[in-house]
Amino acid sequence: MGELGVDHFLFLSAALFIIGMMGVLTRRNLLIIFMCVELMTNAVNLSLVAFGWGLNSLDGQAFAVFIVAVAAAEAAVGLAIIMALSRRQRTVDVDALRSLRD
Amino acid sequence: MPLDLNLETPDLWLALPQFIVFGLAIALLFGDAFVARTRHFVWLTGLSLVGYLAALVALVGQANENATTFYGLFRADGLTVFLSVIILSAAVLTVMVSASYVERLEGRMPIGEFYVLLAFSVLGAMLVAAAGDLVMVFVGIELSSLATYVLAAFAKRRLTSVEGALKYFLLGIFASAILAYGMAWVYGVTGSTDLDAIARSLAASVGGDEFLDPALLLGLLLLTVGLGFKMAAVPFHFWTPDAYDGAPTPVTAFMSVVPKAAAFAATVRIFVQALGPLRDEWVTLLSVLALLTMAFGNIVAISQRNVKRMLAYSSIAHTGYMLVGLAAYQATGGTGFGAGAGDGDQGVSSLLYYILAYNFMNIGAFAVVTWLQHRGRGLTLDDFGGLATTHPLAAAAMAVFMVSLMGVPPLIGFYAKYYVILAAIDADLLWLAVAVVVLSAVSAFYYLRLVAVMYFNEPEGQPRQADTRLLDVGIAGMVIATIALGLFSTPIIDLADKWESALTVAGQVAGR
């Protein structure tokens, strides 16, 4: 058993980021897409903290805190817009978003 | 061991314009709560205009500033000033275009909240322009975007507005996550989030015939994708037509300029200032993106019958022209514009001039669409039929904006393209310069078709009367700017050339 290093966290973070990205590209439910983006954001936070640990600097953690704050604001705005949509049409399926077309 | 915090007092005066806009946003919030609803239109519109103009005046005092504060997070330099002038003038014009629309059309939207969100979006874009650190770039872009998502959904009773906003939101936050991941990798490789420190670190490590560190290449690609989404470059543009079409027209005018300016500000700050030593790599990427974006935007715009969608594709095409300017960036060996030139770069100066030009002509085009919506006309090409008979002045204004977007001398759009082409030739990107010319000729088709419809078709139905004084003044101002700023382009491009002071803070010259 080796020691846990920065690389391990970077691989975990890359895996989470790719899982989130695949979710955004394949899922059709707006709320799940939204959660997948949150997963990607948190993967970024993990990377930043891991890099900061490896570099022995606090910048990474400070950046991660800013991203957490931004993600909270994103959640507020996003859920509000999804609410507005579900009042207009009773579904949160992206395939139902068809009123705007070329 | 006690932490060495190195505390210093930030120089608040350097951030005066940004503080004024922040103060304006707070004042608007209080005004929205405490002023009687019947007075909102006059008071809050007036307050917004005064606030943005005050911030513009404060900027004039910083014209030759070149300093950083807040521990390197905030910079006041030539780039900050020029971009802030563009963003603030776009804000003034948006207020003039949107006031009566928000108050009267689409079921009377809450005007106070509209101005608050507008002010925060403007503040975010100004912070990106003034950023000296990756964290600041990210937070600024997000502040600007989050407010814009809400503005796009502002006509919440209309399904298309909410739907367009939702697409904009989902792809926007997706892009933000990718952008942040790119920033994380750049931080991991270079060990800093400070733009100058990144440049110094890269200048020391990159060079020669060695292969680029794959981690750095990954970061570069992620940043390109993230910023490509934000600036609506092909192939990251899918949200653009729907979001522009769905949003209330004045918001579309705003969205097509300020978030794009913020995205280009972030690109210049990150790519030119921090990743300057990697110029050879990202120039290739951006040239390809530029060609794709110009070609796709112009060709698809031809088939559009809806004027808002047509302008959306046209704005994608203009992103392409701007990217040509950026791709023509030369770290050394350029000839520069203006009298004192000799060494220096034309690419970024031409990009800055292009955004300024685009600001006036594009908000102008959407302003005329808004003007017609007040008079009961729709958004399709046919709704513009015979405009020259019923409203000759509006038709003339629209014709000026269309011809300027196309790039006909002596209007501002011509000089914008002229400088971009000069920069591309200077950087040995002849093929891109040729592409700009050829695709501008293609764009003539759909711009002139609108002009032809206005002048040669018969009008349908009786137009409604409407009193839109502020909007009229705004359109007149933009027509004058479109003509005058083209004729007097030399002093403006000289001002744009001052962006290079962004590279000379903190002994960064050695890294170039």
Side-chain angles (χ1 to χ4, degrees):
Chain A
M1 293 290 280
E3 204 176 325
L4 210 52
V6 175
D7 291 354
H8 296 92
F9 287 99
L10 291 182
F11 274 113
L12 174 63
S13 147
L16 288 174
F17 191 84
I18 291 167
I19 293 170
M21 200 177 218
M22 284 299 133
V24 173
L25 298 175
T26 55
R27 300 306 289 263
R28 306 265 52 105
N29 184 310
L30 285 174
L31 289 165
I32 292 182
I33 293 177
F34 184 62
M35 286 194 283
C36 288
V37 176
E38 293 292 300
L39 185 63
M40 291 168 70
T41 314
N42 283 319
V44 173
N45 286 339
L46 186 58
S47 282
L48 282 167
V49 175
F51 276 130
W53 181 43
L55 293 163
N56 205 11
S57 92
L58 282 174
D59 293 351
Q61 292 190 29
F63 200 164
V65 171
F66 276 102
I67 292 182
V68 169
V70 166
E74 264 172 11
V77 168
L79 293 177
I81 297 177
I82 294 176
M83 278 286 288
L85 180 87
S86 65
R87 282 195 190 147
R88 297 284 112 216
Q89 58 180 38
R90 301 237 147 254
T91 169
V92 285
D93 191 329
V94 263
D95 290 328
L97 300 179
R98 303 199 160 272
S99 54
L100 288 163
R101 311 228 90 182
D102 273 333
Chain B
M1 191 186 82
L3 267 173
D4 184 13
L5 288 172
N6 278 327
L7 294 177
E8 61 173 67
T9 323
D11 187 356
L12 299 177
W13 286 108
L14 286 178
L16 184 62
Q18 286 79 4
F19 275 115
I20 292 176
V21 176
F22 178 65
L24 169 68
I26 301 297
L28 285 167
L29 267 176
F30 276 93
D32 185 41
F34 295 115
V35 175
R37 179 68 182 89
T38 45
R39 296 199 194 125
H40 275 192
F41 180 74
V42 178
W43 283 46
L44 300 184
T45 308
L47 184 59
S48 293
L49 288 175
V50 170
Y52 293 130
L53 291 174
L56 269 173
V57 172
L59 267 179
V60 173
Q62 306 200 326
N64 292 310
E65 203 64 73
N66 188 9
T68 75
T69 185
F70 291 104
Y71 309 96
L73 280 172
F74 186 94
R75 314 176 61 115
D77 53 34
L79 186 61
T80 309
V81 171
F82 199 86
L83 280 164
S84 299
V85 167
I86 298 174
I87 292 163
L88 283 171
S89 47
V92 171
L93 295 172
T94 308
V95 170
M96 297 177 102
V97 174
S98 55
S100 47
Y101 186 100
V102 176
E103 183 74 0
R104 286 186 223 146
L105 301 184
E106 309 231 37
R108 214 158 186 259
M109 300 180 276
I111 198 163
E113 291 165 28
F114 182 88
Y115 287 147
V116 172
L117 290 164
L118 193 69
F120 276 117
S121 185
V122 168
L123 177 63
M126 286 173 74
L127 290 179
V128 182
D133 192 290
L134 291 178
V135 178
M136 190 75 162
V137 172
F138 185 77
V139 172
I141 283 205
E142 286 306 292
L143 177 57
S144 179
S145 302
L146 284 170
T148 317
Y149 303 143
V150 184
L151 285 177
F154 216 69
K156 63 174 194 278
R157 290 190 190 82
R158 181 159 54 78
L159 179 60
T160 47
S161 174
V162 178
E163 184 184 319
L166 197 58
K167 288 174 179 168
Y168 186 26
F169 171 76
L170 286 176
L171 287 167
I173 61 170
F174 183 58
S176 300
I178 295 174
L179 181 66
Y181 202 39
M183 288 177 175
W185 279 97
V186 170
Y187 164 66
V189 174
T190 60
S192 176
T193 55
D194 184 83
L195 299 180
D196 288 339
I198 293 171
R200 277 195 295 272
S201 161
L202 288 178
S205 64
V206 177
D209 298 326
E210 290 169 57
F211 281 112
L212 197 59
D213 185 352
L216 205 51
L217 192 63
L218 174 68
L220 188 61
L221 284 174
L222 289 166
L223 287 172
T224 312
V225 174
L227 292 168
F229 266 108
K230 295 277 176 195
M231 66 175 72
V234 175
F236 316 112
H237 66 281
F238 341 97
W239 56 273
T240 317
D242 287 351
Y244 281 24
D245 189 7
T249 315
V251 175
T252 314
F254 179 77
M255 275 163 64
S256 70
V257 174
V258 170
K260 207 186 280 286
F264 274 101
T267 316
V268 174
R269 284 288 182 199
I270 296 178
F271 280 26
V272 174
Q273 198 180 331
L275 305 181
L278 302 181
R279 177 196 165 272
D280 296 343
E281 280 77 18
W282 59 253
V283 157
T284 321
L285 271 175
L286 292 190
S287 326
V288 175
L289 276 188
L291 182 67
L292 284 176
T293 310
M294 283 188 288
F296 180 86
N298 278 318
I299 290 167
V300 179
I302 290 175
S303 63
Q304 302 301 319
R305 303 293 299 173
N306 179 323
V307 174
K308 250 165 114 177
R309 280 189 101 80
M310 185 198 93
L311 287 172
Y313 282 106
S314 129
S315 100
I316 294 177
H318 284 272
T319 302
Y321 303 136
M322 291 177 202
L323 277 171
V324 173
L326 200 54
Y329 169 68
Q330 302 182 83
T332 49
T335 52
F337 290 121
D343 62 326
D345 156 72
Q346 300 185 345
V348 178
S349 315
S350 70
L351 164 71
L352 292 175
Y353 185 83
Y354 205 107
I355 304 176
L356 180 78
Y358 176 76
N359 168 24
F360 289 108
M361 52 199 190
N362 213 52
I363 295 190
F366 282 113
V368 178
V369 177
T370 310
W371 195 89
L372 289 176
Q373 281 182 295
H374 273 290
R375 281 150 188 84
R377 297 240 194 171
L379 295 166
T380 62
L381 263 183
D382 301 326
D383 287 302
F384 281 73
L387 194 62
T389 347
T390 51
H391 303 290
L393 281 177
M398 193 64 171
V400 168
F401 296 134
M402 286 299 117
V403 170
S404 176
L405 282 167
M406 196 177 100
V408 170
L411 300 171
I412 194 168
F414 166 75
Y415 285 96
K417 279 186 183 142
Y418 170 73
Y419 286 123
V420 163
I421 291 169
L422 279 190
I425 293 174
D426 194 53
D428 289 328
L429 290 167
L430 198 61
W431 58 283
L432 267 183
V434 172
V436 172
V437 176
V438 170
L439 290 163
S440 299
V442 172
S443 75
F445 181 81
Y446 59 87
Y447 290 132
L448 290 184
R449 181 174 60 189
L450 184 63
V451 176
V453 165
M454 289 192 301
Y455 278 88
F456 301 123
N457 285 18
E458 288 301 311
E460 296 168 14
Q462 251 331 292
R464 201 159 71 201
Q465 291 300 314
D467 176 23
T468 51
R469 264 171 287 181
L470 198 57
L471 177 56
D472 299 346
V473 175
I475 294 178
M478 283 182 275
V479 171
I480 293 169
T482 304
I483 297 168
L485 295 184
L487 293 174
F488 301 102
S489 63
T490 322
I492 299 169
I493 200 85
D494 284 346
L495 271 181
D497 260 343
K498 285 190 183 173
W499 78 270
E500 292 218 328
S501 65
L503 297 180
T504 53
V505 186
Q508 217 230 321
V509 189
R512 291 180 56 213

